């Protein structure tokens, strides 16, 4: 064996037990008591630590043009930051330019990632319009390892797609074994409210929330579900932010609709009040859907605990405060939507274990196993089992830290979590058996990440 992680407590979505983990050829080859090293075996002592599967973040936007600018983090900085936070695989959104084929867009996203990615990766194909050429292209995408299609029901005039596009995507996804994901907000209603607010001189960041009330999210969630139900296709709802949308999801599930959903770390910590921070600082918290009244945080934690939500992703979409968020100083609709969080995700969700909001198994399920399973990466990713990729995180549950942007590895000038005290940190991270983070320091290399073709949606 090339590597043995010894004396740790292995935690998966199902179990917590003391065992050594042996690695050869980039995979887990043995899990057991007192595994014996041979000549040349590297041994990592994980006494007093958990050994977790590497995090899987299935909602990231790296090197993405958006809101009149481009995300601050590219595939080098974004994946390096992810690794330092304990994430070993991401699935990023590949967005075609107007009139571009999905295959050409995938070629561009492959080029963005190649030579830069420090962890493994895949792509979701974004569908904005549905001319016949795109419709006919969809069945071929699983052959390229892309088994999820993403549609935005908001961002009118930019990424927003109409219901015709959505029903056709659902139909093709069903036939191809792919999963349709939706950003669920009624983009027309948002557009109307935005125009009214700006005309009334309400230009500050806090009006971002006013322009996108919970009902706008709930309406689109219910509509997407109804259309998926009509077609008989499964559906995945991204970044659920509020109780109103959750209600629609739970109601649909109760009548037998196959609907899966995630929330993102930031909705578990912040509220609409953060949008009103002084000196335009609220712009840092401008992401979509917007932050909500405080009771929604409890609803989301509860939904994570009871299974109503299946994943926590980062929705990493970083823009610098200086020069990028500032584009909207006089008009909140011009603030690029999105925030950083790819590195903080595991640590911040783990605080829910400390606070007994979720169990350790549920934590692993939400940040690794669930997203891997839903998006066709499991059991290669998302668990620790013989035959799985040796993507391992040695997690120190007692390590304490205060989050400061200077210690993070992303390439953006703030962290949403600045100054927060946390307990529980990733110490060592392996990617297919190769140590890429040691003592919290990145020791991997850009370009070591590999594209991961994903299996069909398994239900
Ligand atoms: O504000 C956000 N969430 N930006 C990224 C794009 C999206 O809607 O996911
Ligand atoms: Zn979105
Ligand atoms: Zn997103």
């Amino acid at each position: 064996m090339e590597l043995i992680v010894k004396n740790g407590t292995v935690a998966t979505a199902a179990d917590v037990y003391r065992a050594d983990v042996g690695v050869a050829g980039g995979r887990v080859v043995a899990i057991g008591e007192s595994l014996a090293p041979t000549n040349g075996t590297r041994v990592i002592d994980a006494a007093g630590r958990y050994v977790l599967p590497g995090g899987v973040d299935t909602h990231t936007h790296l090197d993405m043009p958006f809101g009149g600018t481009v995300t601050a983090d590219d595939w080098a900085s974004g994946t390096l930051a992810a690794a330092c936070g304990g994430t070993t695989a991401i699935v990023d959104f590949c967005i075609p330019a107007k009139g571009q084929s999905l295959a050409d867009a995938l070629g561009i996203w492959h080029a963005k990632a190649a030579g830069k990615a420090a962890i493994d990766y895949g792509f979701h194909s974004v569908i904005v319009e549905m001319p016949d050429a795109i419709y006919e292209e969809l069945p071929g995408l699983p052959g390229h390892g892309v088994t999820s299609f993403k549609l935005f029901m908001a961002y009118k005039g930019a990424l927003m797609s109409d219901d015709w596009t959505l029903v056709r995507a659902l139909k093709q996804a069903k036939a191809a074994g792919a999963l349709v994901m939706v950003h669920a907000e009624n983009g027309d209603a948002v557009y109307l409210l935005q125009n009214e607010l700006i005309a009334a001189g309400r230009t500050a960041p806090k009006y971002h929330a006013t322009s996108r009330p919970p009902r706008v999210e709930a309406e689109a969630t219910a509509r997407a579900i109804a259309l998926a139900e009509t077609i008989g296709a499964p559906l995945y709802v991204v970044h659920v932010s509020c109780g109103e949308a959750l209600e629609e999801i739970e109601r649909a599930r109760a009548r037998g609709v196959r609907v899966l959903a995630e929330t993102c770390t930031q909705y578990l910590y912040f509220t609409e009040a953060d949008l009103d921070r002084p000196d335009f600082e609220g712009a840092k918290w401008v992401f979509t859907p917007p932050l909500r009244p405080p009771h929604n945080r409890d609803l989301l934690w509860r939904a994570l605990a009871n299974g109503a939500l299946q994943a926590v992703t980062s929705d990493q979409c970083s823009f610098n405060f200086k020069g990028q968020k500032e584009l909207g100083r006089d008009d909140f609709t011009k603030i690029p939507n999105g925030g950083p969080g790819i590195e903080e995700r595991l640590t911040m969700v783990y605080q829910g274990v400390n606070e007994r909001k979720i169990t350790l198994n549920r934590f692993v399920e939400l940040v690794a196993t669930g997203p891997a399973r839903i998006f066709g990466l499991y059991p290669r990713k998302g668990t620790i089992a013989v035959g799985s990729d040796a993507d391992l995180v040695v997690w120190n549950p007692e390590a304490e830290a205060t989050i400061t942007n200077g210690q993070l590895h992303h390439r953006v000038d703030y962290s949403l979590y600045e100054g927060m005290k946390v307990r529980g940190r990733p110490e060592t991270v392996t990617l297919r058996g190769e140590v890429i983070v040691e003592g919290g320091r990145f020791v991997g290399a850009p370009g070591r990440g590999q594209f991961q073709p994903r299996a069909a949606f398994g239900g």
Side-chain angles (χ1 to χ4, degrees):
M1 282 180 281
E2 291 137 23
L3 172 71
I4 299 178
V5 181
K6 276 197 99 51
N7 309 317
T9 299
V10 173
T12 66
D15 300 300
V16 180
Y17 57 97
R18 293 288 298 272
D20 298 346
V21 180
V23 176
R27 296 195 173 192
V28 173
V29 293
I31 302 172
E33 281 179 20
S34 308
L35 296 183
T38 49
N39 258 354
T41 301
R42 179 170 180 174
V43 175
I44 295 173
D45 184 9
R49 312 289 191 259
Y50 292 129
V51 183
L52 312 174
V56 178
D57 189 349
T58 50
H59 189 155
T60 69
H61 306 271
L62 300 178
D63 196 358
M64 183 180 86
F66 194 52
T69 183
V70 179
T71 56
D73 282 288
D74 69 359
W75 282 79
S77 63
T79 58
L80 191 156
C84 291
T87 290
T88 51
I90 62 170
V91 187
D92 196 84
F93 293 98
C94 166
I95 303 187
K98 195 161 176 56
Q100 190 174 45
S101 74
L102 301 179
D104 285 352
L106 283 169
I108 289 171
W109 250 255
H110 273 290
K112 285 175 192 266
K116 288 188 174 174
I119 58 173
D120 288 349
Y121 57 93
F123 302 120
H124 312 284
S125 272
V126 171
I127 301 167
V128 182
E129 295 173 319
M130 190 66 85
D132 288 346
I134 299 282
Y135 186 74
E136 280 151 23
E137 221 190 332
L138 292 178
L141 287 187
H144 295 283
V146 175
T147 52
S148 43
F149 312 153
K150 162 83 178 286
L151 286 88
F152 291 88
M153 300 168 80
Y155 303 130
K156 190 174 170 67
L159 297 176
M160 180 167 146
S161 55
D162 58 17
D163 288 349
W164 173 240
T165 303
L166 178 52
V167 288
R168 299 235 291 173
L170 285 161
K171 193 168 165 50
Q172 291 295 60
K174 182 184 175 188
L179 180 62
V180 168
M181 313 163 75
V182 284
H183 168 134
E185 284 184 304
N186 186 313
D188 287 314
V190 171
Y191 186 63
L192 182 136
L193 294 175
Q194 285 179 328
N195 286 338
E196 284 181 357
L197 287 161
I198 295 299
R202 298 189 167 146
T203 59
K206 67 178 176 184
Y207 295 110
H208 176 65
T210 321
S211 70
R212 315 180 91 98
R215 190 50 53 194
V216 155
E217 183 180 341
E219 184 280 329
T221 304
R223 179 160 38 103
I225 289 170
L227 296 177
E229 191 176 4
T230 304
I231 303 294
L235 182 76
Y236 183 92
V237 184
V238 302
H239 51 40
V240 173
S241 73
C242 59
E244 288 84 344
L246 262 179
E247 261 174 33
E248 299 296 346
I249 290 163
E250 294 194 279
R251 210 152 42 155
R253 219 175 266 143
R255 64 176 189 267
V257 186
R258 187 81 181 111
V259 52
L260 302 150
E262 66 175 30
T263 191
C264 305
T265 326
Q266 51 274 27
Y267 299 108
L268 301 170
Y269 281 92
F270 303 107
T271 73
E272 58 189 4
D274 290 291
L275 286 160
D276 202 18
R277 294 198 190 203
D279 302 324
F280 193 62
E281 290 271 315
K284 295 176 179 174
W285 279 264
V286 170
F287 38 77
T288 300
L291 289 165
R292 304 299 189 190
H295 68 275
N296 289 284
R297 291 180 300 193
D298 298 334
L299 293 176
L300 293 172
W301 275 115
R302 211 174 309 148
L304 292 173
N306 71 20
L309 292 172
Q310 288 78 45
V312 184
T313 61
S314 68
D315 195 2
Q316 162 79 23
C317 186
S318 59
F319 298 103
N320 284 304
F321 182 68
K322 289 252 165 287
Q324 292 191 297
K325 290 287 182 179
E326 284 179 338
L327 293 169
R329 256 201 193 272
D330 302 322
D331 178 345
F332 72 87
T333 68
K334 298 198 165 52
I335 300 170
N337 285 199
I342 202 166
E343 184 167 353
E344 298 97 313
R345 183 180 68 117
L346 265 64
T347 294
M348 296 317 299
V349 180
Y350 185 79
Q351 303 315 300
V353 179
N354 291 337
E355 292 162 24
R356 301 190 188 285
K357 290 174 174 162
I358 52 173
T359 64
L360 180 61
N361 298 124
R362 192 72 194 143
F363 164 71
V364 175
E365 173 77 32
L366 291 166
V367 301
T369 319
R373 194 184 281 124
I374 292 166
F375 291 103
L377 289 167
Y378 183 88
R380 196 172 1 129
K381 308 287 186 190
T383 194
I384 300 174
V386 171
S388 294
D389 282 356
D391 298 350
L392 305 172
V393 179
V394 178
W395 186 270
N396 183 346
E398 301 306 332
E400 294 187 358
T402 300
I403 297 198
T404 58
N405 198 48
Q407 283 168 10
L408 294 172
H409 300 80
H410 56 201
R411 197 188 293 150
V412 64
D413 57 7
Y414 70 95
S415 167
L416 296 169
Y417 306 93
E418 183 76 33
M420 287 193 183
K421 292 192 184 336
V422 292
R423 182 159 52 85
R425 306 282 292 151
E427 280 181 348
T428 303
V429 179
T430 68
L431 176 71
R432 285 177 274 103
E434 192 180 314
V435 176
I436 59 169
V437 174
E438 212 172 354
R441 217 167 45 82
F442 182 70
V443 295
R448 299 293 294 169
Q450 293 177 358
F451 175 70
Q452 301 291 314
R454 293 180 291 118
F457 176 67

